[in-house]
Amino acid sequence: MTAADDGKTLDAIVQCHEAKTVGMPKRDSLSRILDLVVALAAHAGAILLIGEIVLLSAAVFFRYVLRSPLIWSDELAELILIWQAMLGAVVAFHAGQHLRLSVLSDALPIRARAFLEMVCLILTALVAGPLAFYALKDARADLGLMTPVLEISPAWQTGALIVGLGLIAILALGTLIQKITADNRSTTLAAFGTVAAVMAAAWMLQDEFSGLGNLNLVVFFIGLVGACIAIGLPIAFCFAIAAMAYVLFATHAPLDIVPARMETGMAHILLLSAPLFIALGALLVISGMANNMVKLLVALVGHVRGGLSYVLIGGMALLSGISGSKAADMAAIAPVLVPEMRRRGANDGEIVGLLAASCAMSETIPPSLILIMTGAVTGVSIGALFAAGWYPALALAALLCVLARFRAARSGEDQSEKASWGKIGKLAIVAVPVLVLPFLIRGAVVEGIATATEVATVGIAYVLILTLLIERRFDWRRLYASLKDASALTGVIFIILASANAMAWGFVQSGFSSILAGVAGTLPCGTYGFLVISIIVFIILGSILEGIPAIVLLGPLLFPVAKSLGVSEVHFALVTVMAMGLGLFAPPFGVGFYTACAICRVEPAVVMKAIWPYLGVIFVGIVLVAVGPIVVEEIGVIW
């Protein structure tokens, strides 16, 4: 997998393209144009994110201080979010940051990789270009309509898809042109020929598809998606091409439905908090507040046997309760703890294994992005998810601490001297104000005092003010660069949401949900069998697709089934999120595994063996959380 937050900056992207085009004067002007387009998109995305933060901050001020809500703020913020996300998706595409499965293609010879890369660029252009065209048709049809509050045309919202998808198509074609040289013309012809042959075969077989009925779900949403993922096509475009093919060959619906469903997938008021929590995580890292929290934990328990392992687990839990971004959490903790753990004799494989498992453990700690997405997609109360999310995470953390203690005792790691109370006090002064933030976030949302979006907005202001008061300095340039990265990450997430929502429409309109419910009722062991199968499925999908696309696809299908079997929706949501978290950090496909290795600068082969005991503990914890409440309830009924 290629992670959306692999650390590439815009300057690095420009330098990379300049290096590629040395000695190719015909492509210099094209490269500069593409880089200029991406730079403008990056700046626009960051400015829109800043505008969204300012707008939502003003909305909070007017609502809670002046008692005069801005009734138009949510609608405007939603419009800004869609534009910011689509521009971020453009930047992420140019940087190669869109989520994709690269493990299989990376194992191939150079010529085969070049062939697949060209095929992926062709497919991306063939998907994004037509989608932009049909979005334009949709926008023209909406010109006479008005939104309820702002009273502007919905075409302004659809315009974000037109611009974003259109620019992605242009970038894909431009990159493809840059890659064509005299040495690889045969590879280029083979790539175009293969795509043309597949499209021609599909067109000739369209009558056969129309007679397959629901088997088309297997052909397009399993076969076609699986093939596209295997060749390395970004997951968002795998979903989009499957949705387009399904609508074109298996239904009588117009292709306009695909961009319309994509827009619906992004236009959700509950999703407004996602980019804000991403920005909050970046702010914590840049300000040094995350570093202060970790140092306080080291001073408190770092001297005991396995103490730094406890700090890593506890630090991950606290940071996950603030930033909502796993990459931000690891980037904040690893530079502080990893060198010291190595100095004390810890094995690199053990360090990365514990880091990855701790991230998997903390997936249900609010304000986890996957919890927010789950609530938005399935209709489960985000407040209820925030209220319950801490408990399974703490159970998994306790199991990890037991294993970490056992491993530390066996390895004979060195111990350090206990920190003085004076040092602990100094660290507490700068760290405690931020340590309370996770509990404030949970409490405010759970008690209904504020929404997740409002809490994220207040959190940004809170951390910014603390930084200026405590640190008395701030790197504003670095913050702006981080906002550009946050915009790109938002784009990666939201374009997956959009395309997965278009694909999920096919499942819903086919009536597959009722079929699935009937099958679930015949499973052996009833509810237990359903939960075990769900855990396995979400671990696999969490590894291959990651959590967000997996929950968008299967959430609307499986949650009604769980409810029909008497499983609480909140309980089932937490189990599925934990399972996806385990898959995310499970080799050989989990992107989180490779992200942890990259942050710690450790080769994946070194970690591959050491990580399994930690992931095994997480799996045991997931099973206990899954069946525990049901067992207790049954015992209570029997008693």
Side-chain angles (χ1 to χ4, degrees):
M1 281 274 190
T2 298
D5 43 0
D6 62 358
K8 285 187 178 180
T9 63
L10 193 60
D11 292 337
I13 298 166
V14 174
Q15 292 173 6
C16 178
H17 277 273
E18 289 177 351
K20 289 179 181 177
T21 55
V22 172
M24 297 188 300
K26 292 181 180 179
R27 299 184 177 88
D28 280 349
S29 57
L30 176 59
S31 179
R32 285 195 294 270
I33 291 172
L34 295 180
D35 291 336
L36 177 61
V37 169
V38 173
L40 291 174
H43 288 299
I47 291 170
L48 286 173
L49 181 54
I50 293 171
E52 185 179 352
I53 293 171
V54 172
L55 171 63
L56 293 173
S57 298
V60 170
F61 179 79
F62 272 79
R63 178 183 176 184
Y64 292 99
V65 178
L66 301 183
R67 302 292 180 179
S68 178
L70 302 176
I71 59 174
W72 48 266
S73 61
D74 284 349
E75 192 172 295
L76 180 58
E78 192 175 288
L79 175 63
I80 293 174
L81 173 62
I82 294 177
W83 274 93
Q84 181 252 306
M86 290 308 300
L87 292 174
V90 172
V91 177
F93 178 78
H94 194 57
Q97 295 177 337
H98 278 269
L99 299 176
R100 65 188 183 93
L101 183 68
S102 60
V103 175
L104 300 177
S105 59
D106 288 347
L108 297 174
I110 295 177
R111 186 176 294 274
R113 288 205 305 270
F115 167 75
L116 291 181
E117 188 175 359
M118 287 190 170
V119 169
C120 290
L121 288 171
I122 295 169
L123 290 176
T124 300
L126 288 175
V127 171
L131 283 177
F133 171 76
Y134 283 105
L136 178 60
K137 287 183 61 180
D138 193 28
R140 292 179 62 183
D142 289 342
L143 286 176
L145 303 177
M146 294 291 176
T147 59
V149 180
L150 293 176
E151 296 185 349
I152 61 174
S153 171
W156 282 99
Q157 192 164 281
T158 310
L161 268 75
I162 300 170
V163 172
L165 292 170
L167 288 177
I168 288 174
I170 292 171
L171 289 173
L173 290 174
T175 306
L176 183 63
I177 292 171
Q178 287 181 303
K179 290 183 177 297
I180 299 174
T181 65
D183 296 333
N184 67 359
R185 284 177 182 170
S186 60
T187 303
T188 304
L189 290 174
F192 276 100
T194 300
V195 174
V198 172
M199 292 177 64
W203 188 262
M204 289 167 48
L205 292 172
Q206 58 182 324
D207 292 336
E208 303 296 329
F209 291 133
S210 62
L212 290 178
N214 281 343
L215 285 178
N216 281 309
L217 298 175
V218 177
V219 173
F220 295 109
F221 295 155
I222 296 179
L224 181 57
V225 168
C228 290
I229 289 175
I231 66 174
L233 185 68
I235 289 173
F237 299 104
C238 294
F239 291 169
I241 198 172
M244 291 177 66
Y246 179 78
V247 171
L248 184 62
F249 296 117
T251 73
H252 298 291
L255 275 175
D256 307 51
I257 193 69
V258 178
R261 298 306 302 180
M262 291 179 69
E263 183 180 338
T264 303
M266 292 189 292
H268 202 302
I269 193 67
L270 295 177
L271 299 176
L272 284 174
S273 62
L276 301 184
F277 279 120
I278 294 172
L280 177 57
L283 184 60
L284 280 171
V285 175
I286 294 169
S287 66
M289 290 294 179
N291 196 3
N292 292 337
M293 286 192 293
V294 175
K295 286 182 177 179
L296 176 60
L297 294 177
V298 171
L300 289 171
V301 299
H303 59 282
V304 304
R305 177 73 68 185
L308 292 184
S309 297
Y310 304 152
V311 171
L312 194 156
I313 296 168
M316 192 61 65
L318 289 171
L319 284 176
S320 293
I322 300 175
S323 74
S325 169
K326 293 294 165 249
D329 300 339
M330 289 191 287
I333 286 179
V336 181
L337 289 182
V338 171
E340 181 64 18
M341 293 176 79
R342 284 173 175 155
R343 189 189 68 79
R344 296 190 186 185
N347 177 273
D348 278 347
E350 299 288 337
I351 294 172
V352 180
L354 181 59
L355 178 66
S358 299
C359 280
M361 166 272 295
S362 60
E363 281 285 73
T364 61
I365 295 177
S368 166
L369 290 180
I370 188 62
L371 282 185
I372 296 171
M373 299 300 170
T374 300
V377 169
T378 64
V380 180
S381 166
I382 293 180
L385 292 176
F386 278 20
W390 270 100
Y391 301 110
L394 291 177
L396 297 183
L399 291 175
L400 281 178
C401 286
V402 172
L403 178 60
R405 172 71 178 184
F406 174 74
R407 307 280 281 200
R410 285 185 57 190
S411 64
E413 294 176 17
D414 296 334
Q415 294 175 256
S416 63
E417 294 183 3
K418 185 177 180 179
S420 66
W421 286 110
K423 181 179 180 180
I424 292 174
K426 291 179 181 179
L427 289 171
I429 291 174
V430 296
V432 168
V434 185
L435 279 172
V436 302
L437 191 54
F439 307 100
L440 292 177
I441 289 173
R442 179 184 182 276
V445 177
V446 171
E447 298 299 325
I449 299 173
T451 66
T453 302
E454 292 168 340
V455 169
T457 306
V458 173
I460 290 174
Y462 179 76
V463 173
L464 189 58
I465 293 171
L466 279 181
T467 303
L468 295 176
L469 290 177
I470 296 175
E471 302 291 336
R472 298 187 180 181
R473 57 182 175 81
F474 198 84
D475 191 342
W476 296 103
R477 289 185 178 181
R478 191 178 171 198
L479 175 61
Y480 183 70
S482 293
L483 289 176
K484 289 194 288 187
D485 291 339
S487 176
L489 178 56
T490 303
V492 170
I493 293 171
F494 274 63
I495 198 169
I496 289 176
L497 279 173
S499 55
N501 191 65
M503 189 168 148
W505 173 85
F507 282 111
V508 173
Q509 69 87 33
S510 68
F512 183 71
S513 298
S514 58
I515 298 174
L516 190 63
V519 172
T522 63
L523 289 174
C525 301
T527 303
Y528 295 109
F530 173 74
L531 286 173
V532 170
I533 291 175
S534 297
I535 290 172
I536 294 172
V537 168
F538 277 103
I539 288 175
I540 295 172
L541 290 181
S543 181
I544 297 175
L545 300 181
E546 295 205 30
I548 291 173
I551 198 65
V552 173
L553 283 179
L554 292 184
L557 298 176
L558 293 182
F559 274 72
V561 177
K563 187 175 182 180
S564 68
L565 293 174
V567 180
S568 162
E569 289 182 315
V570 173
H571 177 205
F572 187 65
L574 296 178
V575 171
T576 56
V577 168
M578 288 189 294
M580 289 185 293
L582 175 58
L584 179 64
F585 291 92
F589 297 124
V591 64
F593 169 74
Y594 296 103
T595 303
C597 291
I599 288 176
C600 296
R601 298 182 181 181
V602 178
E603 287 295 323
V606 176
V607 188
M608 198 73 74
K609 183 178 179 181
I611 195 174
W612 290 111
Y614 294 101
L615 295 183
V617 165
I618 297 294
F619 180 77
V620 170
I622 292 172
V623 173
L624 292 176
V625 171
V627 303
I630 299 175
V631 171
V632 171
E633 183 179 349
E634 290 184 354
I635 292 175
V637 170
I638 294 172
W639 181 261

